[in-house]
Amino acid sequence: MTNIKDLAKLAGVSVTTVSRVLNDHPYVSKEKRDAVLKAIEATNYYKNINAVHLSKGKTNMMGVVVPFIDHTYFAFLIKGIAKQALKNNYKLVLFQTEYQKERELEALEMLKLKQIDSLIFCSRACDFDIIEEHMSFGPIVLCEHIEGKRISSSYVNQYNVFFEALEYLFEKGHRRIGYSIGRRTGTNSYEREMAYRDFLTKYQLPFHQEYIIDGCLYFEDSEKVMKRIKQMAKPPTALLITSDQVAAGIVTYCQANGIAIPEELSIIGFDNQPIAKMMNITTIDIPLFEMGENLFLQAVAEEISNKEMSVKLIERGTA
């Protein structure tokens, strides 16, 4: 196999000159550069990219951990990350985990082996202790708020957002309010449940476990939500739906089954996706694209930072 010394001998130049050509160094004469390029072509030589990474100390590759790439929430985050990656000449390595811890560990192992420079967790299943064990191998950024830990993050204050949305519905006269989520575990889900329980305590309202419906990520999951509600003796009169896709499905179901919105059932979605605007759904505007951009910039920065994203309620016709 041809090596860099063979190229230097064939081109009639020094090993240093060959190295400069391989690494796009500007200070090489046209004559010598052409000679090296001809030698590369003649020998079908390809530089050992791992050796180049080791010599430079970086790969210009960033890992991005997402549970599902086809969910619009994560798609908008990735879009923001990818925009900055393109601007900064980085390549992305996507890990779709479906919340499988072993897949997340694979991403962390790549960081440990210096196959990627940094790692963004858009959502995770593994314990923070596992993340902490790998922080010395390169920058890790989280899309959640971690109290008291020296790790960069861009996040939405899920507790405040949820509590304010619940109070908005309370002021509209609702006393039986439920909500749907993708999963019950995770930092964001924990903060939402804490807000929900504190809200009920503040207004001395009863807690109904059946009002919390999990496993709701996609449009088609809306049917499951509505079937569960129809089985309840005292169903909620309002729902916080933590995905505009699911909220759109519920609106579609209600329209098809003669359920008046918001008179019989009020709905607030999350993320302010295009479908929410098209279907006139009240929703929480979360700047996912901007959050993705910020996650990238934090992953390449030298200093640790925490960025809380601004959100707002977009009032439309479903609440």
Side-chain angles (χ1 to χ4, degrees):
M1 182 179 292
T2 304
N3 58 39
I4 194 169
K5 290 182 179 179
D6 297 329
L7 289 177
K9 185 176 180 181
L10 185 61
V13 299
S14 68
V15 170
T16 301
T17 298
V18 174
S19 178
R20 285 176 175 172
V21 173
L22 290 173
N23 290 286
D24 252 349
H25 199 284
Y27 303 115
V28 180
S29 69
K30 185 178 186 305
E31 182 183 353
K32 289 183 178 180
R33 186 180 297 276
D34 288 345
V36 173
L37 292 175
K38 286 180 181 178
I40 290 171
E41 186 178 358
T43 58
N44 198 28
Y45 172 85
Y46 292 93
K47 61 182 177 179
N48 186 330
I49 195 66
N50 289 328
V52 173
H53 291 165
L54 286 171
S55 68
K56 289 183 175 180
K58 63 185 301 185
T59 67
N60 273 55
M61 297 176 71
M62 181 182 294
V64 180
V65 174
V66 291
F68 313 102
I69 61 173
D70 64 341
H71 192 280
T72 48
Y73 175 92
F74 298 110
F76 275 103
L77 282 178
I78 293 170
K79 187 176 180 180
I81 295 168
K83 180 72 172 181
Q84 286 297 325
L86 184 62
K87 282 185 180 180
N88 290 274
N89 195 30
Y90 264 76
K91 292 180 174 63
L92 300 180
V93 180
L94 290 179
F95 300 88
Q96 178 174 280
T97 65
E98 297 183 359
Y99 288 120
Q100 296 176 28
K101 292 182 180 180
E102 58 268 25
R103 297 304 307 275
E104 296 179 3
L105 289 172
E106 287 175 15
L108 289 164
E109 186 67 13
M110 284 190 69
L111 182 68
K112 182 178 181 179
L113 295 174
K114 305 300 181 185
Q115 294 172 324
I116 52 177
D117 297 331
S118 51
L119 193 57
I120 295 172
F121 275 85
C122 295
S123 190
R124 64 185 172 91
C126 67
D127 295 334
F128 184 78
D129 290 347
I130 302 296
I131 302 289
E132 208 162 24
E133 289 173 10
H134 292 80
M135 285 167 56
S136 62
F137 302 118
I140 300 175
V141 183
L142 302 180
C143 192
E144 61 184 277
H145 182 47
I146 298 292
E147 194 73 43
K149 301 292 184 180
R150 284 191 54 77
I151 187 168
S152 290
S153 63
S154 290
Y155 64 94
V156 169
N157 189 320
Q158 296 289 343
Y159 180 95
N160 288 349
V161 170
F162 225 65
F163 201 96
E164 289 170 9
L166 289 164
E167 290 208 310
Y168 173 86
L169 290 170
F170 184 86
E171 290 169 5
K172 291 280 186 177
H174 296 283
R175 300 297 181 264
R176 301 199 307 271
I177 306 170
Y179 71 93
S180 75
I181 48 174
R183 58 177 183 146
R184 287 186 180 266
T185 57
T187 305
N188 290 344
S189 295
Y190 172 76
E191 289 187 358
R192 288 165 175 168
E193 183 165 345
M194 287 297 297
Y196 185 65
R197 289 180 179 273
D198 288 349
F199 164 79
L200 296 177
T201 299
K202 177 180 177 179
Y203 292 104
Q204 299 181 328
L205 299 173
F207 174 77
H208 297 281
Q209 183 67 52
E210 66 271 22
Y211 284 7
I212 305 175
I213 305 173
D214 61 358
C216 301
L217 289 167
Y218 300 100
F219 184 93
E220 55 269 26
D221 293 326
S222 58
E223 188 173 355
K224 171 176 64 179
V225 175
M226 295 308 297
K227 285 183 176 179
R228 290 268 295 273
I229 287 175
K230 288 177 73 175
Q231 293 172 356
M232 298 177 191
K234 287 188 176 181
T237 61
L239 293 172
L240 288 182
I241 308 296
T242 58
S243 165
D244 282 336
Q245 292 288 320
V246 180
I250 291 174
V251 171
T252 302
Y253 181 97
C254 289
Q255 290 172 345
N257 290 272
I259 300 171
I261 295 176
E263 292 80 9
E264 294 180 69
L265 181 64
S266 286
I267 296 168
I268 296 180
F270 270 71
D271 304 337
N272 195 24
Q273 296 167 12
I275 196 170
K277 185 175 182 180
M278 291 173 61
M279 298 187 65
N280 202 32
I281 297 171
T282 297
T283 186
I284 307 295
D285 181 38
I286 298 176
L288 295 172
F289 180 84
E290 291 80 1
M291 185 152 61
E293 287 191 300
N294 204 66
L295 288 166
F296 175 92
L297 295 173
Q298 288 176 308
V300 296
E302 294 183 3
E303 296 182 356
I304 291 173
S305 64
N306 303 107
K307 171 72 171 178
E308 181 179 341
M309 308 302 295
S310 298
V311 302
K312 61 182 177 181
L313 178 72
I314 306 294
E315 296 186 64
R316 296 195 179 108
T318 58

